[in-house]
Amino acid sequence: MSDMFDVIVIGAGPAGYHAAIRCAQLGMKTACIDKSLDDDGNAVLGGTCLNWGCIPSKALLDASHKFVEASEHFAEIGIKTGKVSVDVPAMMARKDQVVKGLTGGVSSLFQGNGVTALAGSGKLLAGRQVEFTPHTGETQVLKAEHVILAPGSVPVEIPPAPLTDDLIVDSTGALEFQEVPKKLGVIGAGVIGLELGSVWNRLGSEVVLLEALEEFLPMADERIARDSLKIMRGQGLDIRLGTRVTGAEVMGKKVKVTFQDKDGEQVIEVDKLIVAVGRRPYTEGLLSRDCGVNLDERGFLYVNDLCATDVPNVYAVGDVVRGPMLAHKGMEEGIMVAERIAGQKPLVNYDAVPSVIYTHPEVAWVGQTEQQLKASGEAYNVGAFPFAASGRALAANDTQGTVKILADAETDRILGVHILGPQASELIAQAVIAMEFDASADDLGLTMFAHPTLSEALHEAALGVAGHAIHMVNRKKRQ
Ligand code: FAD
Ligand code: AMP
């Protein structure tokens, strides 16, 4: 192997592999170093997202949702079944197959585009040199015109709940259970805690989520968060707010969890405990002392809006830099950096990054929340439409939730869209496109939507901003 590349990418998660493929497409000689190994010790591409994050969690969310549909809701639509049961090892095996197919797909994409995949650890040295230590073999020093750092993030661990082999686990361990725990504790009712809690609740666990904050989903629109909390509690998730975990102790095959709430110190016993208290940037072993790349005060690699570090021609993208820890945000940053290296001038629009929680109904949003607009004193109008009034949602027996659109009171420009409902993850893309094109609520209202679709709820909410949604009685009498 030659030791000189146009671009070396460290990390083959979504941020890194998008950057590497785009660099190769643009004609650059590109290598991508990644150190991840699967359970059998094989090198795997795709990072957290494909191996231990987005994809396996969605495989289990979709499977467990289908189980609930079959066991609880099929009868409502006239389908009789016998007793429906779950085969957890089979569900896990299928999830693993999905992951394998996709990580293998990244490998094929690398081959097809001419990206050199290097299995092992990468470390940035001074002068855009990269020390590569393969899983087997000698360490070597590679040189590059440009280096892109994409090492991602790892779960936060907290002293009150140290991880064990199989009883106190992080999100990765929670995707590997081979049987349904009778009682499951989850520390943290954020996105990951809610998704994993939902999987096991649907499969039959009694799930208790212990959340230190008093407020539920503070980053979501208040009304959507309030409605979500009610629905999720209705599904059996025991979400306890204002509850700070102070200790967790393994007692035989159980875990004793101690926490503080408004009534003082409490104790519960669970069969498994998931620690889902957030993720932190991962930079261990990544930087030599003299490489010149700096960290910010929270341990993220310091970059400007264009993902450039303090060292010329060295960039950083994905979870390891500021901004939401989301796969698609990292992908867009990876592509932006590749194209900038090639002399193009793309930007990432950080004001239009969609967020999704894949519960059922799903929660998705983009742009500003109503509480943010109130706090900044901006005048706005609201249009909202419930899925209970959508013909398609009724036909599909899936009517919980609302679409809410916030638009500037003067210009009607869309400032935020918040959806709780079926397929919110898909619907939010329409709002992102509208916001990318600086659309007004009226622009969406004037657009023709196919009938009957869930998307019509977005259309009606847009009409509702001006007070003339068709399928609900309008209280505002605007024209
Ligand atoms: P990563 O995916 O973490 O990849 C970094 C890679 O770099 C890893 O393979 C790592 O081994 C490698 N690496 C690190 N340091 C080195 C080094 N020095 N040398 C060589 N290799 C190195 N996001 C969403 O947008 N949607 C979701 O639905 C979603 N669901 C999630 C569910 C769970 C359970 C979890 C844990 C996360 C989820 N996320 C989701 C977050 C998403 O996984 C991350 O935002 C995304 O993976 C970040 O991409 P990345 O490329 O920055 O880093
Ligand atoms: P997220 O960052 O979205 O993954 O959410 C993680 C959640 O875990 C946050 O809402 C934190 O408030 C919560 N959290 C962190 N530490 C604790 C703790 N010791 N007990 C309960 N909740 C916690």
Side-chain angles (χ1 to χ4, degrees), residues 106 139 163 178 319 362 381 385 403 408:
V106 176
T139 296
L163 301 186
Q178 290 300 316
D319 279 10
E362 294 177 340
N381 288 321
F385 192 79
V403 177
D408 188 287

Side-chain angles (χ1 to χ4, degrees), residues 11 13-15 34-36 47-49 53-54 58 122 151-152 279 318-319 326-327:
D34 195 289
K35 64 179 173 188
S36 288
T48 306
C49 170
C54 323
K58 265 80 258 180
R279 297 181 63 81
D319 279 10
L326 292 170

Side-chain angles (χ1 to χ4, degrees), residues 101-383:
L102 288 169
T103 56
V106 176
S107 186
S108 307
L109 288 170
F110 273 9
Q111 276 169 25
N113 284 287
V115 175
T116 304
L118 300 174
S121 303
K123 179 186 218 170
L124 180 71
L125 308 177
R128 296 194 305 276
Q129 300 197 91
V130 173
E131 182 183 281
F132 167 54
T133 307
H135 293 304
T136 47
E138 295 286 296
T139 296
Q140 59 190 115
V141 175
L142 310 173
K143 299 182 198 72
E145 293 292 329
H146 304 267
V147 178
I148 304 175
L149 305 171
S153 62
V154 288
V156 168
E157 291 182 35
I158 49 171
L163 301 186
T164 67
D165 274 354
D166 66 341
L167 289 182
I168 307 179
V169 299
D170 60 14
S171 57
T172 305
L175 295 166
E176 300 292 339
F177 295 162
Q178 290 300 316
E179 58 186 46
V180 180
K182 201 160 172 299
K183 185 157 180 174
L184 173 67
V186 182
I187 312 180
V191 177
I192 293 177
L194 288 170
E195 290 188 1
L196 295 173
S198 293
V199 166
W200 295 106
N201 172 53
R202 290 168 186 175
L203 298 179
S205 281
E206 181 191 340
V207 178
V208 184
L209 290 114
L210 306 166
E211 168 56 57
L213 299 177
E214 294 287 347
E215 200 183 343
F216 183 62
L217 295 178
M219 61 293 194
D221 185 85
E222 263 171 17
R223 170 172 169 194
I224 297 287
R226 196 174 57 237
D227 292 353
S228 309
L229 179 61
K230 201 167 157 206
I231 290 173
M232 290 179 201
R233 282 184 169 153
Q235 293 169 346
L237 289 175
D238 180 358
I239 300 170
R240 303 193 194 172
L241 302 173
T243 302
R244 177 169 290 280
V245 173
T246 52
E249 195 185 339
V250 172
M251 313 265 281
K253 292 199 160 160
K254 304 247 181 210
V255 185
K256 193 176 108 184
V257 186
T258 313
F259 54 87
Q260 290 280 340
D261 65 12
K262 62 178 183 351
D263 299 322
E265 189 172 282
Q266 316 280 340
V267 175
I268 53 168
E269 208 176 65
V270 296
D271 297 287
K272 300 257 189 207
L273 179 64
I274 303 174
V275 182
V277 295
R279 297 181 63 81
R280 64 176 172 85
Y282 178 64
T283 54
E284 264 100 50
L286 178 74
L287 306 172
S288 71
R289 275 175 182 273
D290 59 349
C291 73
V293 169
N294 292 307
L295 305 186
D296 70 14
E297 61 288 353
R298 293 187 304 146
F300 290 88
L301 296 183
Y302 178 74
V303 289
N304 66 11
D305 281 354
L306 303 175
C307 293
T309 68
D310 289 333
V311 180
N313 292 11
V314 176
Y315 308 85
V317 293
D319 279 10
V320 80
V321 301
R322 83 290 167 262
M325 286 185 165
L326 292 170
H328 42 278
K329 173 263 192 186
M331 294 172 183
E332 293 306 317
E333 288 179 334
I335 291 171
M336 171 182 74
V337 166
E339 293 180 349
R340 287 209 158 246
I341 292 173
Q344 301 175 14
K345 301 281 177 226
L347 293 171
V348 169
N349 180 1
Y350 290 99
D351 292 334
V353 180
S355 295
V356 179
I357 310 175
Y358 292 83
T359 46
H360 193 92
E362 294 177 340
V363 187
W365 69 91
V366 58
Q368 300 192 69
T369 60
E370 189 162 0
Q371 64 268 26
Q372 283 172 331
L373 292 176
K374 272 189 189 144
S376 64
E378 268 180 81
Y380 60 91
N381 288 321
V382 187

Side-chain angles (χ1 to χ4, degrees), residues 43-47 50-51 96-108:
V44 282
L45 301 173
L50 265 56
N51 292 286
D96 292 342
Q97 276 312 114
V98 173
V99 168
K100 205 168 172 193
L102 288 169
T103 56
V106 176
S107 186
S108 307

